[in-house]
């Protein structure tokens, strides 16, 4: 096959996974098209990542924007099908678990275009999470399932996936982290937020289960009020969270949390700099659970489950849900004792993009 390899990005957590793959394909002179669906479109959710990750501008931008799950998924499918018919790609690479991921993989399955899913096999076993549906569907239909850790392989085998489709490549997001950690040292973010030299925690929150549910949101705020008495809390607000806080009338309450440092979504380098200097990370994101494990920083995951269990069994992550008391107790324990130390899982070594590119070359040649 001679067509280009299409690399798909759609939402914020995709950019740091595609950047190292794109760079590796470029090194090998493999013809690629970088396609952005536009699921995330604000400059601070999208454009800044291209700059920070030194990624070329997208060759194709679908401009999908916000909408319901069905709307986003369907609109990406309609537009992506046209792109595939025009460019006849030799293969498509999708990453993660966002609506753009499942939409493009479905188009590939029907157009019979080989599709590789990077970050395959992760399961929270919680179908209330929209991302879990995206993971299950994508892994059911993608041809090559590239897993970050052994639990991914096991989950796929348990679903009856044949061995030939499963390839453990490691965690590509850690490639980006390691590639950029030194560069992030010149970030001015601590100075800009007036927290230089201070002890602080980093908090991110955007899961529907935490911020679309008012009582869950309030339980978390109750915990933050106590934690803020001990340590500054840097809270870059996700657009979903900002919107929900306003709808629920919680904005003023958030602003009143002791020592809260509110800011907008941070760029990649600024965010790495924030994480690297934090005493503690509180999050409901998937990516942060992995990045905190790679950096050796204690992480409390404000969810009932995780699709990334190695961060708990090997890394620095603890699952605490959204119960006020449990969150406070776990945070105080970390502040008092330094929290659990972990190890970095195998193949989270910065060479995952290299292994992925080896596979892509094998497939297309
Ligand atoms: C999406 C992904 C999630 C990922 C998260 C990271 C799905 C199902 N969810 O969730 O897996 O962890 O991205 O951020 O694909 N908005 C803006 N500007 C933007 C993007 C979104 O204002 O650039 C607003 C939207 O209008 C919407 C809200 O933020 O009101 C949520 O955006 P959406 O793309 O639906 O989902 P996320 O919660 O960001």
């Amino acid at each position: 096959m001679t067509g280009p390899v299409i690399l798909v990005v759609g939402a914020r957590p995709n950019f740091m996974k595609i950047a190292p793959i794109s760079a590796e394909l470029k090194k090998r002179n493999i013809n690629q098209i970088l396609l952005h669906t536009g699921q995330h479109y604000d400059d601070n959710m999208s454009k800044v990542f291209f700059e920070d990750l030194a990624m070329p501008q997208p060759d194709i931008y679908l401009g999908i924007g916000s909408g319901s799950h069905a709307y986003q998924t369907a609109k990406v499918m309609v537009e992506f099908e046209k792109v595939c018919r025009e460019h006849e790609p030799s293969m498509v690479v999708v990453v993660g678990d966002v609506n753009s991921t499942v939409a493009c993989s479905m188009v590939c399955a029907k157009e019979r275009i080989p599709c590789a899913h990077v970050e395959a096999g992760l399961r929270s076993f919680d179908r209330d999470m929209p991302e879990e549906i995206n993971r299950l569907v994508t892994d059911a239909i993608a041809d090559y399932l590239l897993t970050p850790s052994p639990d991914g392989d096991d989950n796929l085998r348990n679903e009856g996936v044949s061995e030939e489709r499963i390839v453990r490549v490691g965690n590509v997001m850690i490639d980006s982290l390691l590639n950029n950690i030194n560069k992030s040292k010149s970030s001015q973010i601590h100075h800009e937020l007036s927290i230089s030299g201070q002890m602080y925690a980093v908090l991110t929150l955007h899961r529907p289960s935490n911020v679309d549910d008012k009582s869950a949101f309030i339980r978390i705020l109750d915990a933050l009020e106590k934690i803020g008495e001990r340590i500054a809390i840097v809270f870059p607000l996700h657009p979903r969270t900002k919107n929900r806080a306003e709808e629920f009338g919680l904005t003023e309450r958030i602003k009143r949390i002791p020592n809260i440092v509110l800011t907008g979504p941070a760029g990649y380098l600024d965010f790495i700099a924030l994480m690297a200097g934090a005493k503690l990370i509180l999050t409901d994101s998937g990516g942060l659970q992995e990045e905190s494990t790679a950096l050796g920083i204690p992480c409390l995951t404000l969810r009932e489950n995780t699709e990334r269990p190695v961060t708990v069994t090997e890394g620095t992550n603890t699952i605490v849900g959204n119960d006020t008391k449990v969150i406070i107790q776990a945070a105080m324990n970390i502040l008092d004792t330094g929290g659990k130390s972990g190890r970095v899982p195998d193949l989270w070594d910065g060479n995952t993009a290299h292994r992925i590119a080896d596979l892509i070359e094998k497939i297309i040649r």
Side-chain angles (χ1 to χ4, degrees), residues 225-246:
E225 267 161 20
K226 275 275 168 252
I227 298 167
E229 288 171 6
R230 288 275 305 268
I231 189 169
I233 303 172
V234 179
F235 187 11
L237 272 181
H238 188 284
R240 171 189 287 280
T241 311
K242 187 165 185 265
N243 295 342
R244 291 297 177 270
E246 272 158 28

Side-chain angles (χ1 to χ4, degrees), residues 11-13 39-46 65-67 69 72 97-100 130-131 134 206-208 238-240 243-244 285-286:
R12 185 168 64 175
Q39 180 179 339
H40 282 177
Y41 45 85
D42 284 348
D43 284 356
N44 58 12
M45 296 291 285
S46 173
S66 298
H69 289 276
Q72 278 184 332
D97 55 17
V98 302
N99 288 335
S100 302
E131 293 82 359
N134 294 344
H206 77 276
R207 291 267 156 235
H238 188 284
R240 171 189 287 280
N243 295 342
R244 291 297 177 270
S285 140

Side-chain angles (χ1 to χ4, degrees), residues 265-329:
Y268 187 63
L269 296 174
D270 285 346
F271 197 73
I272 297 182
L274 281 174
M275 280 195 293
K279 187 94 186 145
L280 154 70
I281 291 172
L282 297 135
T283 191
D284 60 9
S285 140
L288 261 74
Q289 297 173 50
E290 301 182 332
E291 287 163 335
S292 53
T293 276
L295 291 168
I297 293 171
C299 175
L300 296 179
T301 293
L302 308 176
R303 286 172 40 190
E304 299 303 328
N305 49 52
T306 180
E307 61 288 335
R308 291 158 162 93
V310 286
T311 61
V312 177
T313 53
E314 298 183 29
T316 56
N317 190 16
T318 308
I319 306 295
V320 291
N322 56 28
D323 180 272
T324 310
K325 274 199 195 124
V326 177
I327 300 171
I328 295 173
Q329 205 174 24

